[in-house]
Amino acid sequence: MLTQNFADFELVVLDNASTDGTSDIVGSFADSRVRLVRNETTISMTANWNLAVELCRAPLIKLLCADDLLRPDCLRIQHQVMAANPRLSMTVCRRDFLDAAGRRLATARGLSGLLGERDRVSVARRVIRHGGNPLGEPGSVLFRQSAFTATGGFVEDMNLVLDIHLWLRLLAHGPMFGVADSLAGFRVSGGSLSGRSHRAGYQQQYVCNAEVVANPLYQVRELDRVIGAAAAPLAQLRRRGLFSLASLVHQPHSARQSRSA
């Protein structure tokens, strides 16, 4: 974050009662833009994400998870998009998938058919047809705090699809803009929450999509729902394959040889 070539930002680091020295490390940076807040006890991921947004004092918010990355021009490009069009509720960029060592597993992924300004109907139909999350994780998105507040924030019962569930609800408060550049890096690890929760995540995605289908605001058609139901297993399989690849790549060479034998 501190290498961004857009300097007018506040970096709120919310330490969720970690035991790995995070607060000491953050406190070592002599940068007035960095503000450290520490939870006395560990709270749920959903509550932590909501608190992180609540602590922010700027009108535009990006939620960056601890192991994800941004290209140095990410904030500058996405801020320009939002400043140029106050109607937008968010802007989304493509992202690279990285393994634990920072090596690229895939580049410039996401936003197929969603580049440029898109209204809620076109985005909702594309999401439902995709069967997964074609917009991406929090690091890819810059959103308006006012729109976030209007939605009520992240929902605990959707803890495995917090991001796409929020993105869809933000659309009720303004269109989105898809940026073609890959400006973020999402860390893929077999041991992460995303890597360990495929079945439960699939079930929550189904509930999320059902909410959209049932809401006339999004004008999702029956054909969209049918296509999405057929595509969902493949979307889950692609994601599971990516996490499996990350786990395999991260193993020592000797362990990979043993497994192949």
Side-chain angles (χ1 to χ4, degrees):
M1 280 298 302
L2 298 182
T3 66
Q4 291 294 303
N5 57 25
F6 175 86
D8 186 17
F9 67 86
E10 175 188 49
L11 173 58
V12 178
V13 180
L14 181 56
D15 183 346
N16 196 13
S18 68
T19 58
D20 60 3
T22 289
S23 289
D24 292 336
I25 294 170
V26 174
S28 71
F29 287 92
D31 192 314
S32 60
R33 296 172 299 178
V34 179
R35 181 158 61 101
L36 172 66
V37 179
R38 179 176 169 84
N39 295 332
E40 291 300 319
T41 59
T42 303
I43 60 179
S44 73
M45 181 175 71
T46 307
N48 200 53
W49 286 19
N50 279 325
L51 178 57
V53 176
E54 181 182 333
L55 290 168
C56 294
R57 296 176 289 204
L60 299 176
I61 308 291
K62 178 180 289 290
L63 184 68
L64 187 66
C65 296
D67 55 353
D68 295 337
L69 301 174
L70 298 180
R71 213 171 76 178
D73 54 353
C74 180
L75 286 186
R76 178 178 59 79
I77 291 174
Q78 290 194 300
H79 177 268
Q80 287 175 346
V81 170
M82 296 294 280
N85 190 344
R87 296 172 47 253
L88 297 174
S89 63
M90 59 180 167
T91 179
V92 186
C93 65
R94 285 177 167 152
R95 80 283 199 203
D96 297 341
F97 289 109
L98 313 172
D99 70 7
R103 293 169 294 203
R104 285 181 175 82
L105 301 173
T107 59
R109 294 305 176 93
L111 296 180
S112 175
L114 290 171
L115 297 179
E117 184 174 331
R118 300 286 169 172
D119 62 22
R120 63 173 175 263
V121 173
S122 61
V123 178
R125 288 177 177 176
R126 176 68 65 169
V127 170
I128 296 302
R129 283 176 171 242
H130 183 272
N133 181 0
L135 302 185
E137 299 75 26
S140 298
V141 180
L142 183 70
F143 58 85
R144 293 197 192 279
Q145 189 174 56
S146 58
F148 177 90
T149 301
T151 68
F154 296 106
V155 176
E156 187 69 53
D157 290 345
M158 293 291 181
N159 65 312
L160 298 177
V161 291
L162 286 176
D163 42 19
I164 189 62
H165 188 241
L166 176 65
W167 311 153
L168 287 165
R169 287 154 52 232
L170 285 175
L171 289 167
H173 304 281
M176 63 154 272
F177 189 97
V179 177
D181 291 336
S182 187
L183 303 176
F186 177 65
R187 192 86 62 171
V188 177
S189 169
S192 68
L193 178 63
S194 297
R196 291 183 277 110
S197 308
H198 297 296
R199 182 179 295 276
Y202 177 84
Q203 293 170 341
Q204 289 187 15
Q205 182 80 52
Y206 177 84
V207 174
C208 173
N209 289 355
E211 288 182 7
V212 176
V213 171
N215 190 335
L217 189 68
Y218 297 96
Q219 301 178 36
V220 174
R221 301 164 296 196
E222 178 63 15
L223 177 61
D224 301 318
R225 188 195 65 78
V226 171
I227 292 174
L234 181 58
Q236 287 294 316
L237 185 61
R238 288 197 302 266
R239 193 167 182 86
R240 290 181 64 180
L242 193 61
F243 279 92
S244 298
L245 176 61
S247 298
L248 181 62
V249 169
H250 190 55
Q251 289 180 11
H253 180 66
S254 58
R256 294 198 297 270
Q257 283 185 323
S258 176
R259 174 175 287 187
S260 62

